Amino acid sequence: MDEVVLRKSYDVEAGDFESAGDASAGIKATLKRLGVPTGIVRRVAIAAYESEINLIIHSMGGSLTLTVDGESVCLVSDDRGPGIASIEKALQAGWSTAPDSVRSLGFGAGMGLPNMKKNADEFQIDSTVNVGTHIVMRFHLS
Amino acid sequence: MNVAELIEKTGYTLMNPAVPLTREVTGGCCCDLLSWVMASGQEGQAWVTVQTHMNVIAVASLHEMACVILPEGNTMEEAVLERATEEEIAVLGCSETGYAICCRLHDLGI
Ligand SMILES: Nc1ncnc2c1ncn2[C@@H]1O[C@H](COP(=O)(O)OP(=O)(O)OP(=O)(O)O)[C@@H](O)[C@H]1O
Ligand SMILES: [Mg+2]
Protein backbone atom coordinates (compact mmCIF):
# COMPACT_ATOMS: atom_id res chain seq x y z
CA MET A 1 0.00 0.00 0.00
CA ASP A 2 1.24 3.43 -0.95
CA GLU A 3 1.95 6.11 1.57
CA VAL A 4 -0.93 8.40 2.47
CA VAL A 5 -0.45 11.79 0.82
CA LEU A 6 -3.37 13.46 2.50
CA ARG A 7 -6.24 12.77 4.90
CA LYS A 8 -8.95 15.30 5.57
CA SER A 9 -12.20 14.90 7.47
CA TYR A 10 -15.32 17.06 7.31
CA ASP A 11 -18.11 16.99 9.90
CA VAL A 12 -21.56 17.18 8.36
CA GLU A 13 -24.50 18.16 10.54
CA ALA A 14 -28.03 16.85 10.13
CA GLY A 15 -30.37 19.39 8.58
CA ASP A 16 -27.67 21.94 7.81
CA PHE A 17 -28.82 22.90 4.30
CA GLU A 18 -27.08 26.26 4.37
CA SER A 19 -23.63 24.63 4.46
CA ALA A 20 -24.63 21.88 2.04
CA GLY A 21 -21.96 21.55 -0.61
CA ASP A 22 -19.15 23.07 1.48
CA ALA A 23 -17.47 19.74 2.23
CA SER A 24 -17.64 18.60 -1.39
CA ALA A 25 -16.38 21.97 -2.62
CA GLY A 26 -13.45 21.64 -0.18
CA ILE A 27 -12.74 18.11 -1.39
CA LYS A 28 -12.83 19.22 -5.01
CA ALA A 29 -10.47 22.14 -4.36
CA THR A 30 -8.05 19.91 -2.42
CA LEU A 31 -7.88 17.32 -5.21
CA LYS A 32 -7.37 20.01 -7.84
CA ARG A 33 -4.54 21.46 -5.78
CA LEU A 34 -2.91 18.03 -5.57
CA GLY A 35 -3.01 17.81 -9.36
CA VAL A 36 -5.41 14.85 -9.53
CA PRO A 37 -6.70 14.47 -13.14
CA THR A 38 -9.87 16.52 -13.78
CA GLY A 39 -12.04 13.56 -14.77
CA ILE A 40 -11.33 11.88 -11.44
CA VAL A 41 -11.80 15.12 -9.49
CA ARG A 42 -15.19 15.46 -11.12
CA ARG A 43 -16.30 11.93 -10.21
CA VAL A 44 -15.11 12.28 -6.62
CA ALA A 45 -16.83 15.67 -6.32
CA ILE A 46 -20.15 14.24 -7.54
CA ALA A 47 -19.94 11.30 -5.11
CA ALA A 48 -18.89 13.63 -2.28
CA TYR A 49 -21.79 15.98 -2.92
CA GLU A 50 -24.37 13.18 -2.95
CA SER A 51 -22.87 11.72 0.26
CA GLU A 52 -22.88 15.10 1.93
CA ILE A 53 -26.52 15.79 1.04
CA ASN A 54 -27.54 12.32 2.24
CA LEU A 55 -25.84 12.95 5.58
CA ILE A 56 -27.72 16.26 5.88
CA ILE A 57 -31.13 14.94 4.82
CA HIS A 58 -31.23 11.34 5.98
CA SER A 59 -28.74 10.94 8.81
CA MET A 60 -28.40 12.20 12.36
CA GLY A 61 -25.06 13.69 11.44
CA GLY A 62 -21.73 12.24 10.47
CA SER A 63 -18.57 12.86 8.56
CA LEU A 64 -16.97 12.65 5.17
CA THR A 65 -13.31 11.64 5.02
CA LEU A 66 -11.02 12.06 2.04
CA THR A 67 -7.82 10.03 1.81
CA VAL A 68 -5.37 10.24 -1.05
CA ASP A 69 -2.42 7.95 -1.60
CA GLY A 70 -0.27 7.23 -4.64
CA GLU A 71 -2.80 4.77 -6.06
CA SER A 72 -6.23 6.07 -5.29
CA VAL A 73 -8.59 8.60 -3.82
CA CYS A 74 -10.82 7.23 -1.09
CA LEU A 75 -14.00 8.79 0.22
CA VAL A 76 -15.67 7.48 3.37
CA SER A 77 -19.09 8.55 4.63
CA ASP A 78 -19.89 7.65 8.24
CA ASP A 79 -22.91 8.57 10.27
CA ARG A 80 -24.57 8.11 13.65
CA GLY A 81 -27.84 6.64 12.37
CA PRO A 82 -30.65 5.94 11.75
CA GLY A 83 -29.23 3.33 9.33
CA ILE A 84 -30.87 1.89 6.22
CA ALA A 85 -33.34 -0.99 6.57
CA SER A 86 -33.04 -2.20 2.98
CA ILE A 87 -29.82 -1.39 1.18
CA GLU A 88 -31.15 -3.16 -1.90
CA LYS A 89 -34.07 -0.72 -2.14
CA ALA A 90 -31.93 2.29 -1.28
CA LEU A 91 -29.63 1.51 -4.20
CA GLN A 92 -32.51 1.43 -6.70
CA ALA A 93 -32.71 4.52 -8.88
CA GLY A 94 -35.85 6.46 -7.98
CA TRP A 95 -36.30 4.99 -4.50
CA SER A 96 -36.43 7.67 -1.82
CA THR A 97 -37.80 8.31 1.66
CA ALA A 98 -37.09 12.05 1.46
CA PRO A 99 -39.87 14.09 3.13
CA ASP A 100 -41.99 16.51 1.07
CA SER A 101 -40.25 19.47 2.69
CA VAL A 102 -36.96 18.61 0.96
CA ARG A 103 -38.57 17.24 -2.22
CA SER A 104 -39.92 20.71 -2.92
CA LEU A 105 -36.29 21.91 -2.87
CA GLY A 106 -35.41 19.45 -5.60
CA PHE A 107 -33.98 16.65 -3.43
CA GLY A 108 -35.42 13.13 -3.26
CA ALA A 109 -35.11 11.88 -6.84
CA GLY A 110 -33.62 8.70 -5.42
CA MET A 111 -30.57 9.17 -7.61
CA GLY A 112 -27.88 9.90 -5.03
CA LEU A 113 -26.67 6.40 -4.09
CA PRO A 114 -26.91 5.06 -7.69
CA ASN A 115 -24.91 8.10 -8.77
CA MET A 116 -22.25 7.49 -6.11
CA LYS A 117 -21.99 3.84 -7.12
CA LYS A 118 -21.74 4.73 -10.81
CA ASN A 119 -18.95 7.26 -10.29
CA ALA A 120 -16.74 5.24 -7.94
CA ASP A 121 -14.47 2.43 -9.13
CA GLU A 122 -15.18 0.55 -5.91
CA PHE A 123 -18.30 1.07 -3.83
CA GLN A 124 -19.16 -0.59 -0.56
CA ILE A 125 -22.08 0.20 1.72
CA ASP A 126 -22.81 -1.26 5.16
CA SER A 127 -25.64 -0.16 7.34
CA THR A 128 -27.13 -1.19 10.66
CA VAL A 129 -30.51 0.14 11.71
CA ASN A 130 -30.26 2.34 14.83
CA VAL A 131 -26.47 2.39 14.52
CA GLY A 132 -25.42 4.02 11.27
CA THR A 133 -24.33 3.79 7.68
CA HIS A 134 -20.77 3.36 6.45
CA ILE A 135 -19.95 3.91 2.78
CA VAL A 136 -16.51 3.46 1.21
CA MET A 137 -15.85 4.74 -2.31
CA ARG A 138 -12.53 4.29 -4.02
CA PHE A 139 -11.35 5.99 -7.20
CA HIS A 140 -8.26 4.57 -8.92
CA LEU A 141 -5.68 7.08 -10.04
CA SER A 142 -4.54 4.92 -12.93
CA MET B 1 -20.81 32.00 -27.26
CA ASN B 2 -19.85 33.23 -23.81
CA VAL B 3 -22.19 34.38 -21.04
CA ALA B 4 -21.72 38.08 -21.89
CA GLU B 5 -22.86 37.47 -25.47
CA LEU B 6 -25.77 35.35 -24.27
CA ILE B 7 -26.97 38.22 -22.07
CA GLU B 8 -26.57 40.70 -24.90
CA LYS B 9 -28.55 38.54 -27.33
CA THR B 10 -31.38 37.56 -24.95
CA GLY B 11 -31.73 40.69 -22.85
CA TYR B 12 -31.93 38.53 -19.73
CA THR B 13 -31.11 40.28 -16.45
CA LEU B 14 -27.78 39.52 -14.80
CA MET B 15 -28.57 39.17 -11.10
CA ASN B 16 -24.99 39.06 -9.81
CA PRO B 17 -23.24 41.81 -11.79
CA ALA B 18 -19.81 41.27 -10.18
CA VAL B 19 -19.43 37.82 -11.75
CA PRO B 20 -17.04 37.23 -14.69
CA LEU B 21 -18.95 36.59 -17.94
CA THR B 22 -16.27 34.84 -19.94
CA ARG B 23 -17.37 31.23 -19.53
CA GLU B 24 -18.38 29.56 -22.80
CA VAL B 25 -21.98 28.33 -22.98
CA THR B 26 -21.68 24.95 -24.65
CA GLY B 27 -25.03 23.36 -23.85
CA GLY B 28 -28.22 23.54 -21.86
CA CYS B 29 -30.01 21.65 -19.13
CA CYS B 30 -33.59 22.08 -17.87
CA CYS B 31 -34.38 20.25 -14.63
CA ASP B 32 -35.37 20.94 -11.02
CA LEU B 33 -34.19 17.70 -9.42
CA LEU B 34 -30.74 18.36 -8.01
CA SER B 35 -29.37 14.83 -8.00
CA TRP B 36 -30.66 14.39 -11.54
CA VAL B 37 -28.63 17.39 -12.60
CA MET B 38 -25.73 16.12 -10.49
CA ALA B 39 -25.85 12.89 -12.52
CA SER B 40 -26.29 14.38 -15.98
CA GLY B 41 -24.96 17.94 -15.83
CA GLN B 42 -21.99 19.00 -17.94
CA GLU B 43 -19.36 21.68 -17.87
CA GLY B 44 -20.39 24.84 -19.74
CA GLN B 45 -24.13 24.28 -19.56
CA ALA B 46 -26.75 26.96 -19.06
CA TRP B 47 -29.03 25.43 -16.41
CA VAL B 48 -32.68 26.45 -16.45
CA THR B 49 -34.34 25.84 -13.07
CA VAL B 50 -37.01 27.23 -10.74
CA GLN B 51 -34.95 26.15 -7.70
CA THR B 52 -33.36 29.22 -6.15
CA HIS B 53 -31.55 28.02 -3.01
CA MET B 54 -27.87 27.66 -2.13
CA ASN B 55 -27.58 24.10 -3.44
CA VAL B 56 -28.27 25.19 -6.99
CA ILE B 57 -24.98 27.06 -6.83
CA ALA B 58 -23.20 24.07 -5.28
CA VAL B 59 -24.35 21.80 -8.12
CA ALA B 60 -23.64 24.38 -10.86
CA SER B 61 -20.21 25.00 -9.39
CA LEU B 62 -19.26 21.32 -9.09
CA HIS B 63 -20.09 20.90 -12.78
CA GLU B 64 -18.43 24.20 -13.70
CA MET B 65 -21.55 25.25 -15.54
CA ALA B 66 -21.65 28.54 -17.43
CA CYS B 67 -24.76 30.03 -15.86
CA VAL B 68 -28.10 29.44 -14.17
CA ILE B 69 -31.23 30.89 -15.80
CA LEU B 70 -34.33 31.48 -13.67
CA PRO B 71 -37.62 31.52 -15.59
CA GLU B 72 -40.85 33.42 -14.97
CA GLY B 73 -39.58 36.18 -12.73
CA ASN B 74 -37.88 33.95 -10.16
CA THR B 75 -35.14 35.54 -8.08
CA MET B 76 -32.47 34.41 -5.63
CA GLU B 77 -31.73 35.76 -2.17
CA GLU B 78 -28.73 38.04 -1.83
CA ALA B 79 -26.69 35.45 0.09
CA VAL B 80 -27.20 32.93 -2.71
CA LEU B 81 -26.19 35.49 -5.34
CA GLU B 82 -23.06 36.32 -3.36
CA ARG B 83 -22.11 32.65 -3.30
CA ALA B 84 -22.79 32.44 -7.04
CA THR B 85 -20.38 35.33 -7.61
CA GLU B 86 -17.70 33.64 -5.45
CA GLU B 87 -18.14 30.45 -7.47
CA GLU B 88 -18.12 32.41 -10.75
CA ILE B 89 -21.60 31.24 -11.74
CA ALA B 90 -23.65 33.92 -13.53
CA VAL B 91 -27.32 33.97 -12.52
CA LEU B 92 -29.73 35.30 -15.15
CA GLY B 93 -33.39 36.11 -14.72
CA CYS B 94 -36.23 36.74 -17.16
CA SER B 95 -40.00 36.63 -17.49
CA GLU B 96 -40.00 33.79 -20.05
CA THR B 97 -41.04 30.21 -19.31
CA GLY B 98 -38.46 27.44 -19.06
CA TYR B 99 -39.67 26.15 -22.42
CA ALA B 100 -39.25 29.55 -24.06
CA ILE B 101 -35.75 29.91 -22.61
CA CYS B 102 -34.69 26.54 -24.05
CA CYS B 103 -36.11 27.55 -27.44
CA ARG B 104 -34.10 30.78 -27.28
CA LEU B 105 -30.91 28.89 -26.45
CA HIS B 106 -31.54 26.55 -29.35
CA ASP B 107 -32.23 29.42 -31.75
CA LEU B 108 -28.92 30.96 -30.69
CA GLY B 109 -27.15 27.82 -31.78
CA ILE B 110 -26.49 26.44 -28.29
N1 LIG C 1 -26.81 8.23 5.34
C1 LIG C 1 -28.05 7.71 5.26
N2 LIG C 1 -28.71 7.36 6.40
C2 LIG C 1 -29.95 6.83 6.33
N3 LIG C 1 -30.64 6.61 5.19
C3 LIG C 1 -30.03 6.93 4.04
C4 LIG C 1 -28.71 7.50 4.01
N4 LIG C 1 -28.37 7.70 2.71
C5 LIG C 1 -29.42 7.28 1.97
N5 LIG C 1 -30.42 6.82 2.76
C6 LIG C 1 -31.71 6.22 2.32
O1 LIG C 1 -31.56 5.77 0.99
C7 LIG C 1 -32.52 6.41 0.12
C8 LIG C 1 -31.93 6.62 -1.25
O2 LIG C 1 -30.84 7.56 -1.19
P1 LIG C 1 -30.47 8.39 -2.49
O3 LIG C 1 -29.37 9.31 -2.17
O4 LIG C 1 -30.26 7.42 -3.60
O5 LIG C 1 -31.80 9.19 -2.81
P2 LIG C 1 -32.40 10.45 -2.04
O6 LIG C 1 -31.39 11.05 -1.14
O7 LIG C 1 -33.67 10.04 -1.40
O8 LIG C 1 -32.72 11.45 -3.24
P3 LIG C 1 -31.62 12.26 -4.10
O9 LIG C 1 -30.26 11.80 -3.67
O10 LIG C 1 -31.91 11.92 -5.52
O11 LIG C 1 -31.88 13.71 -3.80
C9 LIG C 1 -32.89 7.68 0.86
O12 LIG C 1 -34.16 8.18 0.49
C10 LIG C 1 -32.86 7.22 2.32
O13 LIG C 1 -34.02 6.49 2.65
MG1 LIG D 1 -29.49 11.46 -1.85
Side-chain angles (χ1 to χ4, degrees):
Chain A
M1 193 69 207
D2 276 24
E3 216 175 295
V4 170
V5 176
L6 176 137
R7 174 171 287 132
K8 224 167 173 175
S9 204
Y10 299 81
D11 287 329
V12 182
E13 270 180 56
D16 186 8
F17 285 96
E18 280 308 298
S19 319
D22 287 1
S24 12
I27 286 169
K28 185 182 173 191
T30 303
L31 294 176
K32 270 190 159 178
R33 205 162 43 235
L34 286 176
V36 172
T38 14
I40 297 175
V41 173
R42 189 183 151 81
R43 282 160 49 214
V44 179
I46 290 171
Y49 177 81
E50 294 293 2
S51 309
E52 187 180 357
I53 297 293
N54 279 356
L55 288 172
I56 291 171
I57 294 181
H58 305 294
S59 90
M60 294 155 84
S63 66
L64 214 51
T65 304
L66 172 76
T67 313
V68 184
D69 61 33
E71 289 173 349
S72 65
V73 174
C74 185
L75 203 57
V76 176
S77 168
D78 254 316
D79 67 50
R80 298 183 280 278
I84 300 175
S86 168
I87 289 177
E88 196 190 328
K89 276 187 187 162
L91 286 173
Q92 278 171 23
W95 197 85
S96 173
T97 62
D100 286 347
S101 57
V102 305
R103 282 182 195 257
S104 66
L105 296 171
F107 301 107
M111 296 281 289
L113 286 170
N115 207 6
M116 286 149 68
K117 193 174 176 187
K118 190 184 86 187
N119 277 287
D121 292 311
E122 292 172 44
F123 177 91
Q124 195 198 330
I125 177 166
D126 295 292
S127 189
T128 310
V129 172
N130 292 331
V131 179
T133 301
H134 179 75
I135 304 172
V136 181
M137 291 160 276
R138 201 174 283 282
F139 306 78
H140 303 154
L141 286 171
S142 54
Chain B
M1 175 182 319
N2 66 24
V3 178
E5 290 165 309
L6 177 69
I7 293 170
E8 194 190 303
K9 293 203 162 112
T10 56
Y12 295 163
T13 309
L14 176 62
M15 297 189 164
N16 53 338
V19 79
L21 300 174
T22 49
R23 284 199 185 174
E24 281 296 312
V25 185
T26 53
C29 156
C30 185
C31 184
D32 301 315
L33 294 174
L34 297 182
S35 63
W36 194 280
V37 178
M38 206 64 232
S40 63
Q42 302 280 329
E43 188 178 340
Q45 282 181 334
W47 176 16
V48 182
T49 179
V50 294
Q51 300 293 350
T52 58
H53 52 90
M54 206 59 104
N55 278 274
V56 171
I57 307 306
V59 172
S61 162
L62 283 176
H63 278 306
E64 300 181 19
M65 287 182 169
C67 62
V68 171
I69 307 179
L70 306 177
E72 301 186 65
N74 280 287
T75 56
M76 283 181 170
E77 283 179 14
E78 201 48 49
V80 180
L81 291 172
E82 272 170 32
R83 173 62 73 86
T85 303
E86 283 167 25
E87 301 291 337
E88 305 192 352
I89 302 292
V91 180
L92 315 185
C94 64
S95 58
E96 294 171 11
T97 62
Y99 174 68
I101 294 167
C102 293
C103 292
R104 287 286 286 276
L105 295 177
H106 176 264
D107 290 347
L108 289 168
I110 293 169

